[in-house]
């Protein structure tokens, strides 16, 4: 072959491979409102021209598997490296236009190689999933491929951030790779995740449900909590993903990236807690009054909304925030809230992100359902995660910190480095009403006017116990401050206790 011929052959080959499954398949993909794998990689990588593709020429011969195709371009997955905000990341994007993005031996091999590359370089791994699952024609080789990926997801957990973006079907055992990663993104009307689809469910159990209701983006974000970020479009998903990356170090041996400090858009006012202590308020307003630019990236916004978790900055430094939400179920801790918080705490601890805990909770949720769902086992995960965490831990008691929840929400006893309380803090074994009814039961019953006596006893209990001063007198609370002093105090505390430490040696999944 002459030089000219070999160059032409190369260009023709490249052209074909870059077209993935070809024009018809791309058209079909577009009709579903989906972008191609290549467009998705471009949307992800902020820095134009930074993509360095690997293994474009790897593929199994379609004919070997009796497939009605000439070739499988890139074996149905694009892999490579690129830059986001000038920081390197490793990427794979399954190409649904090539045999439905199904995963066979070569496809899995490419993903495994890029995962090993991410570990070697110490950079985040981003996986874009759009696949019919195990490539049926390749039988056990496909299953082995998944096993190799799950193994690496687990070994990479807590070493480099792993992020999954579900942009199409993700079914069967395939869902376990995203589930093992740190964050899962889903897009409305595009993403679908389930272990067994509606057909199988109907056959086995006789239950009827649509694919969207079973495993669509909102279901996964709200009911199951499998997804951490819900977006309305693919573009929006990538824009949230880039913001998420801006809070994260590239690996567990690095500190998270600093940014310039910006004051909040609004300051906290001293009357942030309602006069009626039983009244709810939105803790997100408190968060926005404390953090840089009032900018808070919430994680799992639609799941277990009685606890809020997410990322923000304090004086330019990323922090992970865990906050009870008094507006939902009074901010109780239950099975789902415990799992949500524990996993987030473990992630922050893995990646050197200090924790800020905002407390206003009446305690663990009582009830038969909770007990039988294992609130003991799940609730223990928060205790475990906070106790295990060695990142700087700041705690602010805003109002209620009752019973076990006082301990669980990053109390001094679980290793908090700095505990502050507002004057409205109530640190007690239980709320004044319940406590007065128990300890003054006989006096109330014997009183001439039991109701007046009960009210008096509740007040007496409030004066004695439902305040932060008893705990502060014993040193369990380091300082009591006005809400309007919160930001400056937390910034000062963080700058003073921000001890050098890198890398906890654990993954993200609380067992
Ligand atoms: C091989 C597959 C495939 C698969 C799709 N294709 N899934 N090829 N193995 N698993 C091919 C189709 O044959 C077709 O090829 C092309 O991809 C596009 O698929 P369509 O069916 O035309 O697309 P669509 O109508 O959008 O339907 C998408 C789909 C459907 C819902 C994903 O394809 C589907 O149900 N596929 C099978 C899903 C499945 O059961 N997978 C196995 C899960 S079990 P042509 O050549 O016609 O373009 C599993 C075990 C993992 O994954 C265990 C890990 C531990």
């Amino acid at each position: 072959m002459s030089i000219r011929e070999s160059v032409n052959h190369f260009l023709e080959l490249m052209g074909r491979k870059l077209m993935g499954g070809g024009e018809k398949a791309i058209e079909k993909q577009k009709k579903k409102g989906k972008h191609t794998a290549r467009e998705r990689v471009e949307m992800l990588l902020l820095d134009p021209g930074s993509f360095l593709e690997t293994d474009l020429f790897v593929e199994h011969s379609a004919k070997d598997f009796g497939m009605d195709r000439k070739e499988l371009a890139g074996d149905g997955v694009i892999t490579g490296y690129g830059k986001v905000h000038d920081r390197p990341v490793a990427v794979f994007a399954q190409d649904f236009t090539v045999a439905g993005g199904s995963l066979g031996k070569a496809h899995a091999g490419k993903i495994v190689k890029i995962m090993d590359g991410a570990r070697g370089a110490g950079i985040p791994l981003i996986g874009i999933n759009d696949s019919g699952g195990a490539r049926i024609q390749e039988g056990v080789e496909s299953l082995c491929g998944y096993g190799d990926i799950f193994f690496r997801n687990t070994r990479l957990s807590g070493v480099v951030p792993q992020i999954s973006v579900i942009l199409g079907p993700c079914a069967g055992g395939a869902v376990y790779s995203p589930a093992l990663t740190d964050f899962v993104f889903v897009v409305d009307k595009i993403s679908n995740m389930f272990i067994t689809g509606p057909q199988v469910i109907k056959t086995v159990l006789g239950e009827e449900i649509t694919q969207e209701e079973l495993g669509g983006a909102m279901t996964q974000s709200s009911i199951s909590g499998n997804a951490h970020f819900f977006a309305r479009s693919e573009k929006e998903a990538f824009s949230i993903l880039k913001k998420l990356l801006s809070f994260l170090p590239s690996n567990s041996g690095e500190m998270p990236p600093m940014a310039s400090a910006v004051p909040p858009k609004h300051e906290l006012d001293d009357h942030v807690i309602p006069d009626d202590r039983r009244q709810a308020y939105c803790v997100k307003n408190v968060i926005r009054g404390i953090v840089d630019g009032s900018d808070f990236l919430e994680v799992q916004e639609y799941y277990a909304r009685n606890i809020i978790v997410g990322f923000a900055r304090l004086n330019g430094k990323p922090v992970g925030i865990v906050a009870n939400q008094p507006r939902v179920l009074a901010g109780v801790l239950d099975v789902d809230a415990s799992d949500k918080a524990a996993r987030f705490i473990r992630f922050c601890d893995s990646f050197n992100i200090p924790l800020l805990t905002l407390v206003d909770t009446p305690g663990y949720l009582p009830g038969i359902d909770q007990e039988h769902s294992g609130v003991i086992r799940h609730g223990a995960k928060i205790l475990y995660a906070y106790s295990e965490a060695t990142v700087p831990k700041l705690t602010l008691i805003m109002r209620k910190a009752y019973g076990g929840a006082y301990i669980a929400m990053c109390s001094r006893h679980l290793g908090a480095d700095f505990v502050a309380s507002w004057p409205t803090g109530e640190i007690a074994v239980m709320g004044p009403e319940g406590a007065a009814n128990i300890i003054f039961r006989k006096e109330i019953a014997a009183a001439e006017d039991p109701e007046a006596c009960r009210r008096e006893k509740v007040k007496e209990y409030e004066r004695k116990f439902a305040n932060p001063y008893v705990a502060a007198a014993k040193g369990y609370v380091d300082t009591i401050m006005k809400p309007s002093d919160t930001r400056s105090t937390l910034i000062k505390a963080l700058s003073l206790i921000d001890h050098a430490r890198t890398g906890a040696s654990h993954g993200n999944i609380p067992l």
Side-chain angles (χ1 to χ4, degrees), residues 28 32 67 69 96 99-100 102 131-137 143 146 150 169 171-174:
K28 203 173 156 196
K32 290 183 198 149
M67 291 171 102
R69 284 172 172 271
F96 194 85
S102 56
S131 166
R135 188 172 296 154
I136 297 162
Q137 297 87 336
L143 303 183
Y146 277 116
F150 301 161

Side-chain angles (χ1 to χ4, degrees), residues 7-82:
V7 169
N8 285 345
H9 170 68
F10 165 73
L11 291 176
E12 192 257 332
L13 199 60
M14 276 292 279
R16 249 191 4 247
K17 290 194 181 295
L18 293 175
M19 280 300 283
E23 268 170 35
K24 263 198 185 153
I26 291 177
E27 205 178 302
K28 203 173 156 196
Q29 175 90 342
K30 297 270 175 186
K31 271 204 183 128
K32 290 183 198 149
K34 292 158 70 176
H35 288 84
T36 64
R38 250 166 230 292
E39 287 167 344
R40 288 166 173 170
V41 171
E42 272 168 35
M43 276 194 274
L44 164 70
L45 302 174
L46 249 197
D47 307 356
S50 72
F51 186 51
L52 177 66
E53 184 162 357
T54 55
D55 292 336
L56 177 63
F57 293 91
V58 165
E59 68 178 62
H60 269 181
S61 162
K63 285 199 198 94
D64 291 350
F65 304 110
M67 291 171 102
D68 186 21
R69 284 172 172 271
K70 262 206 198 124
E71 58 189 15
L72 299 174
D75 215 72
V77 62
I78 297 171
T79 54
Y81 303 90

